[in-house]
Amino acid sequence: MSVRTLEQQHSRHKRLMQIPHVFFVSLFLVLLLVPFYIALLYAIKPKTEINVNRLAWPSNPTFENFITVITKNQTFLNGYKNSLFSTIPTVLLLLFITSMAAYVLARNKGKFYELMYTIFTIGILIPFQCIMLSLYLNFFKLGLTSNNLGYVIVRVGLQVSISVLVITSFVKTIPKELEEAAKIDGAGQMRTFWQIVFPLMRPVNVTQLVLNTLFCWNDYNVAIVILRTNTSKTLPLAQIIYFNENTAELNYAFAFFLMTMIPILILYFSMQRFIVKGIMSGAVKG
């Protein structure tokens, strides 16, 4: 048997082995895209076609649903503003607070630091429902309900535990020799952190930035407890008007949904390179 024949057989065998891989990847891609197809489908369907062959492409696609949401839903634009004004401070606070806390926990040994790490771990295990009532009563007495300040404080407090744990694990992978070299050159601890360690934490910080943005932007449980007035509602609360006990205005709801996805998609695709690097570095575990 000639070398060329062996190469052809090897190539054919390699292609056959790739068929299951291609099949499962294609199946996964289809399953991933189906919800987006349904969302787009319902968003551009006229109201008269919404109950006729639900998965069929509309005969008369329209952008009227988007215009109606913007012009007639009084809480849409206000919800967009509130979501931006609550999400951006929450994410930035988490970025700097958790980075510094994780660095301290990763680089120091002792019972105190072990206790603090344990407290952060326990914070993940406490369901929000357990503290919901007491949280609302205390924030109501402090005048922190139905405003962005109170909502930001709660979101930061609930998200800080998981962010610290993830970033701490990443900081432990950064060589200590870099900090020792900076110390020899006369750099203090703060300067070493901000100029040496913090730039190296970019993959995990970007990953946490995107995840925390997603959690805060789509939050419903905390928002419905803290934000009680129409003027303070975020986007997830503003969308509820399209659902009631008897009917659901799916065309408006999905048009609303697609417009709320735009900032998250922009953020994700702009940070995708760093997210992949963070995952490959072990920033996201479990």
Side-chain angles (χ1 to χ4, degrees):
M1 187 177 294
S2 64
V3 175
R4 184 173 182 180
T5 303
L6 289 173
E7 290 178 350
Q8 289 175 346
Q9 289 181 351
H10 177 73
S11 178
R12 190 181 303 112
H13 177 72
K14 189 176 180 180
R15 287 196 298 269
L16 289 174
M17 292 296 292
Q18 289 178 343
I19 291 176
H21 174 75
V22 173
F23 171 77
F24 285 110
V25 169
S26 301
L27 179 62
F28 177 77
L29 182 62
V30 170
L31 293 174
L32 186 67
L33 293 177
V34 164
F36 292 97
Y37 169 76
I38 294 175
L40 177 63
L41 186 69
Y42 277 65
I44 62 175
K45 266 192 174 185
K47 200 168 185 178
T48 54
E49 296 185 32
I50 203 70
N51 292 320
V52 180
N53 198 356
R54 290 179 178 268
L55 295 180
W57 189 258
S59 55
N60 297 301
T62 178
F63 288 99
E64 182 181 351
N65 297 326
F66 295 92
I67 298 172
T68 301
V69 168
I70 295 172
T71 57
K72 294 187 177 180
N73 185 343
Q74 298 178 354
T75 56
F76 174 74
L77 294 178
N78 195 55
Y80 235 111
K81 180 196 72 175
N82 289 328
S83 288
L84 287 172
F85 287 172
S86 60
T87 300
I88 293 174
T90 298
V91 171
L92 292 179
L93 282 171
L94 283 169
L95 175 65
F96 292 107
I97 292 173
T98 57
S99 295
M100 291 186 286
Y103 174 67
V104 172
L105 292 174
R107 290 295 188 250
N108 292 278
K109 305 296 182 181
K111 292 183 178 181
F112 173 77
Y113 298 104
E114 291 177 0
L115 175 63
M116 294 303 298
Y117 190 82
T118 302
I119 291 174
F120 281 117
T121 305
I122 294 173
I124 301 175
L125 305 177
I126 301 175
F128 175 68
Q129 289 78 7
C130 293
I131 61 173
M132 182 171 61
L133 179 59
S134 58
L135 179 70
Y136 174 76
L137 292 176
N138 289 323
F139 271 59
F140 179 78
K141 292 177 181 178
L142 294 171
L144 292 174
T145 56
S146 299
N147 61 63
N148 289 326
L149 176 60
Y151 182 63
V152 168
I153 293 172
V154 177
R155 282 306 316 173
V156 170
L158 292 174
Q159 204 63 33
V160 71
S161 293
I162 183 64
S163 296
V164 166
L165 292 181
V166 171
I167 298 174
T168 301
S169 299
F170 184 88
V171 173
K172 290 178 179 179
T173 66
I174 298 175
K176 292 183 180 180
E177 290 77 10
L178 297 173
E179 299 167 52
E180 293 171 357
K183 186 177 181 179
I184 292 173
D185 290 338
Q189 189 172 19
M190 289 296 292
R191 185 179 176 185
T192 299
F193 173 74
W194 290 113
Q195 294 188 2
I196 305 296
V197 180
F198 189 74
L200 295 174
M201 295 166 62
R202 181 183 295 179
V204 70
N205 279 334
V206 170
T207 302
Q208 289 300 303
L209 184 146
V210 173
L211 292 176
N212 289 331
T213 300
L214 185 65
F215 294 147
C216 187
W217 188 263
N218 293 329
D219 174 71
Y220 178 80
N221 292 334
V222 178
I224 200 171
V225 173
I226 300 297
L227 307 176
R228 309 298 297 177
T229 61
N230 287 333
T231 56
S232 65
K233 285 183 177 180
T234 53
L235 286 172
L237 299 181
Q239 192 178 23
I240 299 303
I241 67 169
Y242 298 119
F243 300 92
N244 57 48
E245 294 181 359
N246 301 314
T247 61
E249 296 178 294
L250 296 178
N251 51 335
Y252 298 141
F254 278 107
F256 190 111
F257 165 71
L258 289 179
M259 286 189 286
T260 62
M261 284 178 57
I262 294 173
I264 299 298
L265 290 175
I266 293 173
L267 176 66
Y268 174 76
F269 286 114
S270 63
M271 300 291 183
Q272 188 176 21
R273 178 168 61 91
F274 297 109
I275 295 172
V276 172
K277 187 176 179 180
I279 294 173
M280 296 299 293
S281 301
V284 178
K285 298 182 179 181

